[in-house]
Amino acid sequence: VLGEALEALERAGLKAPDDLPVQLRYAQLLSAAGRHADAEAVLRALDSTKLPPLRLYLELGLLRMREGRSEDARRFFAQAVSEGPQSAVAHYHLGVAHFQLGDLDAAEEELRTANRLDVSNPKPLAALCAMQVKAGRLESARVTKMDVERPFQDRAELIRDACRTDR
């Protein structure tokens, strides 16, 4: 199925080389198929007027994460934050990369920044709570759980799953 999807997107990309969503999806599928160098080539070939540096760095960081290259991913996400310091998405991904590299304090800083930049999204605080639980910082997780419960009372299941201490 993945091979068929890749072929279909490759054909679509050849017919519409300027179609950014098609090219991005093609790069993501190449990466999912383990063809990371091909995926990067597709991303880097995109016109910078259509794919701004912030988005390019995010896509390259996600590519590196799928490859298991967390340090390289962190560098790309840091570049994305430099390009777009008000991007909650960039701060979120940088926080996740920090956590994967074992720096929970830096992860918390980035995830809380992502939360401040987009208070409508529970994902940064839910991720932080899960990270704190995983790291055994249960008191910090309790505080984060309260931080996310206040504005997202309607998302109780998300909060409960993220902050479960019985794992």
Side-chain angles (χ1 to χ4, degrees):
V1 174
L2 181 59
E4 292 171 8
L6 269 172
E7 288 176 22
L9 272 172
E10 184 174 21
R11 285 192 305 274
L14 291 172
K15 288 180 185 176
D18 293 333
D19 188 328
L20 183 61
V22 168
Q23 296 297 331
L24 288 174
R25 185 68 183 131
Y26 182 48
Q28 291 163 354
L29 281 177
L30 285 168
S31 175
R35 294 173 53 190
H36 305 295
D38 293 337
E40 183 171 347
V42 168
L43 291 172
R44 292 201 182 268
L46 293 171
D47 184 337
S48 64
T49 61
K50 292 187 173 118
L51 186 69
L54 167 63
R55 182 74 187 270
L56 174 64
Y57 294 137
L58 284 171
E59 293 294 336
L60 290 170
L62 292 169
L63 175 67
R64 292 301 186 268
M65 289 293 257
R66 286 189 290 273
E67 287 180 90
R69 296 171 52 189
S70 298
E71 182 58 43
D72 290 340
R74 186 201 59 78
R75 280 194 287 275
F76 279 121
F77 294 139
Q79 286 180 286
V81 166
S82 291
E83 285 290 327
Q86 298 303 309
S87 170
V89 172
H91 284 281
Y92 171 82
H93 287 297
L94 182 55
V96 171
H98 278 305
F99 178 74
Q100 288 186 341
L101 292 167
D103 190 347
L104 186 57
D105 292 334
E108 179 172 358
E109 183 178 330
E110 292 301 328
L111 292 169
R112 289 201 177 272
T113 298
N115 179 67
R116 280 191 300 278
L117 292 171
D118 182 3
V119 295
S120 69
N121 185 355
K123 196 173 174 181
L125 289 182
L128 176 59
C129 193
M131 290 172 188
Q132 290 167 327
V133 168
K134 187 172 183 177
R137 295 185 180 182
L138 300 183
E139 182 57 28
S140 295
R142 187 184 66 73
V143 171
T144 300
K145 182 179 180 183
M146 288 188 303
D147 290 345
V148 75
E149 280 176 333
R150 273 180 240 125
F152 300 106
Q153 294 172 0
D154 60 328
R155 305 286 299 270
E157 187 175 320
L158 168 82
I159 297 161
R160 186 177 49 254
D161 289 347
C163 298
R164 279 187 33 206
T165 58
D166 62 346
R167 299 176 202 209

